[in-house]
Amino acid sequence: MTKDDIKETILDILSDIAPDDDLSTLKDEIAFREQLQLDSMDFLDIVMELRKRYRVQIPEEDYPHLRSMQSTVDYLEPRMRDLQKV
Amino acid sequence: MVSGRPDNQRIVITGIGLTAPNGNSLSEFRASLLEGRSGVEPFETRYVGKTLAGVCRFDETRYQTKKDVRRGTRAASIGIYSANEAVKSSGLDWPNVDKSRVGVYVGVTEHGNVETENEIYEIKQFDYDTKFWSHHHNPRTVANNPAGEITINMGITGPHYTIGAACAAGNAGLIQGAQMLRLGEVDYAICGGVSESIRTFGIFASFKSQGALAWHDDPTKASRPFDRARNGIVVAEGGCLYILERYDDAKKRGALIYGELVGYAMNSDAVDFVMPHPARQAECMTKAIRMAGISPSEIDVVSTHATGTSGGDAQEAQALRQVFQDDPAVRFNNAKSFIGHAMGAAGALELAGNLPSFGDGVCHATINLEDPDPECALPHMVRSEPHDGLKVDYVLNNSFGMLGINSVVIIKRI
């Protein structure tokens, strides 16, 4: 998967988790929490969805990497580059 | 004796919010009951396949964000809709109500089955690896969930809990609210019952295994309590929550009063897991009538519990004949014939459907009662068409459940 594929996947997951938010204006470098109504349970949803869709395991100590779209994609790219987008 | 109660011990209904398979407000529900409109339709559920159900179609996002709907449970969405609608109908100055003095008491038949079934279905795809089990499972399945989500949605900081009372739960919620008001624990009670039961395949499968799941080629004719051709229960979802307050408070603020809760009773058969016991049901009705300070002959309308099962309907009829044997005027009706069995919401919904009779003098009918079963014979069963021109002062509402739980409430016109 490319970085664009990963971003698209995260956006798809976010559209389920934050259905009331407008994701079209989401800024990659700004923290999700500053732009969306997300709490800790929502971040666990992102972790769970990645696990379900791609079997990607994100250890708890790495959760801070899921701060923004930019940091999330940077963190996931080496872990997902060999996967096919579903 | 209620006549001896001071105004601050008299409990009145000042708001009603509901969603039923045939109406999303009291006026819509009542109109459906008077016009003979069923809410039963074809329904398909996991593993069980094609069946029938009473399905609610209320505006979920009227009071919740899409995200809150997704995070929470169906029971809670039904509760949140009903609670907000109840407050709206009460005319309360809600922003200025002291939310620490509001109690939320929600009757449920069961809770947690829907989410548990969903999670097991989900992890089956992952060879039952519990790493894929949702972190939402616990907050969704704790027994207080439907009541708790209402408090979060409405900023209520008073007590909240659910009352697990099988299919007697709607009445039980109402009774709990009245008791807490009388104790002075709260100033307003949001109470009644909710049901999400059609979202669990287990309830359908279990009734089917028991030989108690209704079927008819015409879904609107499947729920037929007291009829000779009845063949079981139509499962329904729904919710009905009331605003209860003390009469002196309601009078002071000039509230519209739907009726006064003058009598109630709960008791236990102590006999069987599923089969009801007419003697205890009769005893429960008699206790409620005694609390109301009236005689059975003063009851004008009896909203029966009958669910459409062969044994249960006959046994309730036996109990009713025993209590009302000297009362030639009492009218009997049944709302399940329209909407199916809304489980935890049933008692609360069925009562609500009858309260407008204080104003319009009409007793809604029991539909699908084309060939009354002699075993269920009741004088003045209102069937097919509503009966109008009545003076209704007292409505008695029966609601019974598995494990022999019986509940009765009596509402008086004010």
Side-chain angles (χ1 to χ4, degrees), chain A residues 16-17 19-20 37-39 41-42 44-45 48 51-52 55 57, chain B residues 65-68 70-71 122 125-126 131-136 139:
Chain A
D16 282 340
I17 297 169
D20 306 289
Q37 299 291 317
L38 297 185
D39 60 21
M41 294 290 270
D42 296 316
L44 288 174
D45 273 331
M48 178 63 84
R51 188 182 298 151
K52 283 183 175 176
R55 305 294 195 274
Q57 299 292 344
Chain B
T65 62
K66 287 180 194 162
K67 180 177 169 178
D68 289 339
R70 176 187 176 274
R71 175 171 287 193
E122 196 63 24
Q125 299 166 60
F126 302 99
K131 278 204 302 292
F132 296 93
W133 190 269
S134 174
H135 48 286
H136 293 296

Side-chain angles (χ1 to χ4, degrees), chain B residues 205-219:
Chain B
S206 183
F207 279 137
K208 201 168 186 177
S209 298
Q210 197 190 330
L213 188 68
W215 176 259
H216 195 289
D217 289 340
D218 178 352

